[in-house]
Amino acid sequence: MINSMTGYAAQTQTTPYGTLSLELRAVNNRYLDIQLRLPDDFRAMEPVFREQIAQKLNRGKIECRLNFTPLASTENPQQLNEALLQKLLELDRTVKSVLPEAQSLTVANILNWPGMLGGNTQPADELHNSTLALLQATLQDFQAARAREGGKLKSILLERTAHMQQQLTAASPRIPALIAAFEEKLKTRLQEALDNPDDDRIRQEITIFAAKIDIDEELTRLQTHLNEVERILNKGGPVGKRLDFLMQELNREANTVGSKSTDIEISKTAMTLKVLIEQMREQVQNIE
């Protein structure tokens, strides 16, 4: 299976304490880059989020955004966390006994203390367990979306690979025909210039010309690379980097074919190959 690096998924879950909503979106990136946007009360879950996402994804710039909307009945800004308040007062007295000159906690300090207002009515463990379950469900949808997009990319790449192979098949027989045409042309020119054309000279000129325009090695390497592209696509997995390397190799061989060409049809073939390779490279950049 081929996965695209781009994707999007979102899910919402209602708990007794409020509504959790999670979004995952991704764009192309050379490496795995995870960006988390978590509410303050969920910051402690960041390492777990990163671990869970990294187990599923290999490449891409991943943005994960979590929102939590507490129920009105569970958020009362007038209600103090009595247990936490008593603990802070005990700590304040202990510090003053050791450092009498230390300043006492102010009302603002106490009211702004994390968990002092409202949040104490929401059991952290239950919310965190619900959040992890939501993350797993969203990751599953996210992977399914990337797999669907990856399937489309695979079909496009295989179609263009087949088109390139057709171009190679058409180009191969032209080289012997070009050499034969050059031989006839050379014989005619030498016949016009000399009464007895030198057969050795003709053979030498033909050998030089044949070596100059010989693209058999390049065509063979192009075919080998295309076979490897097909093999990788059918095998699946995280193959984006390997395919990107093969696109560079294909482009190098196509450039060589173009530079050696003395025939307009071969030149057209080289140009078509380069256009197809560039189109394939754009698609490959989206593959994980």
Side-chain angles (χ1 to χ4, degrees):
M1 181 175 62
I2 299 294
N3 288 329
S4 169
M5 273 196 286
T6 60
Y8 175 82
Q11 286 212 13
T12 300
Q13 182 174 338
T14 301
T15 74
Y17 314 103
T19 301
L20 290 162
S21 59
L22 183 67
E23 284 185 85
L24 281 172
R25 65 178 73 240
V27 295
N28 302 345
N29 197 57
R30 188 174 180 183
Y31 304 104
L32 180 62
D33 179 13
I34 302 172
Q35 298 183 354
L36 300 178
R37 303 286 186 271
L38 306 180
D40 290 340
D41 291 341
F42 295 80
R43 292 287 185 187
M45 299 188 69
E46 182 169 327
V48 180
F49 265 64
R50 291 188 180 277
E51 180 183 356
Q52 294 293 321
I53 294 172
Q55 286 179 357
K56 301 291 186 181
L57 310 177
N58 294 286
R59 288 206 301 163
K61 184 176 182 180
I62 316 297
E63 181 180 337
C64 175
R65 185 181 298 273
L66 175 69
N67 291 307
F68 176 65
T69 305
L71 294 177
S73 60
T74 65
E75 185 175 26
N76 181 5
Q78 303 302 317
Q79 182 178 354
L80 290 174
N81 186 334
E82 296 290 346
L84 179 58
L85 177 60
Q86 291 302 319
K87 185 64 176 178
L88 287 178
L89 292 177
E90 291 176 9
L91 291 173
D92 184 71
R93 286 193 292 268
T94 301
V95 172
K96 293 284 289 183
S97 66
V98 178
L99 299 172
E101 69 278 7
Q103 294 183 353
S104 298
L105 289 170
T106 66
V107 174
N109 293 146
I110 294 173
L111 294 179
N112 288 325
W113 200 271
M116 183 59 68
L117 294 175
N120 57 296
T121 61
Q122 300 162 5
D125 290 344
E126 292 184 30
L127 269 179
H128 286 187
N129 289 337
S130 297
T131 302
L132 287 178
L134 180 62
L135 174 61
Q136 289 298 324
T138 309
L139 275 171
Q140 186 174 351
D141 283 355
F142 183 72
Q143 283 293 77
R146 294 191 1 149
R148 288 193 297 271
E149 182 65 23
K152 295 177 184 178
L153 292 173
K154 176 181 176 180
S155 297
I156 293 172
L157 289 171
L158 288 175
E159 180 181 340
R160 288 178 176 154
T161 298
H163 190 180
M164 290 180 66
Q165 289 173 333
Q166 292 172 1
Q167 294 291 317
L168 298 182
T169 301
S172 295
R174 290 199 61 83
I175 302 305
L178 288 174
I179 295 173
F182 176 78
E183 182 178 1
E184 289 300 320
K185 182 179 179 180
L186 183 61
K187 285 181 178 180
T188 301
R189 293 177 61 184
L190 288 175
Q191 183 67 48
E192 293 174 353
L194 303 171
D195 291 334
N196 282 316
D198 189 344
D199 289 340
D200 289 338
R201 182 178 176 184
I202 292 175
R203 284 193 294 270
Q204 183 181 11
E205 291 292 335
I206 292 173
T207 301
I208 295 173
F209 177 76
K212 181 179 179 182
I213 69 167
D214 182 19
I215 57 171
D216 184 65
E217 187 175 345
E218 286 77 13
L219 295 179
T220 299
R221 283 198 291 263
L222 280 167
Q223 185 62 62
T224 300
H225 295 328
L226 290 174
N227 291 340
E228 181 67 5
V229 169
E230 287 187 336
R231 187 192 69 80
I232 289 174
L233 288 171
N234 290 323
K235 179 182 178 182
V239 297
K241 291 183 178 180
R242 177 62 178 164
L243 288 174
D244 186 61
F245 170 76
L246 286 171
M247 293 305 108
Q248 297 177 39
E249 295 300 304
L250 285 168
N251 192 60
R252 181 180 294 110
E253 300 301 336
N255 282 332
T256 304
V257 170
S259 65
K260 284 187 173 184
S261 173
T262 59
D263 174 61
I264 187 170
E265 293 302 324
I266 295 294
S267 296
K268 288 180 179 178
T269 296
M271 183 58 65
T272 300
L273 291 175
K274 292 178 65 175
V275 170
L276 289 169
I277 293 167
E278 184 58 34
Q279 291 173 347
M280 292 174 70
R281 178 179 288 177
E282 291 176 2
Q283 302 297 328
V284 165
Q285 289 175 350
N286 294 325
I287 293 178
E288 184 180 39

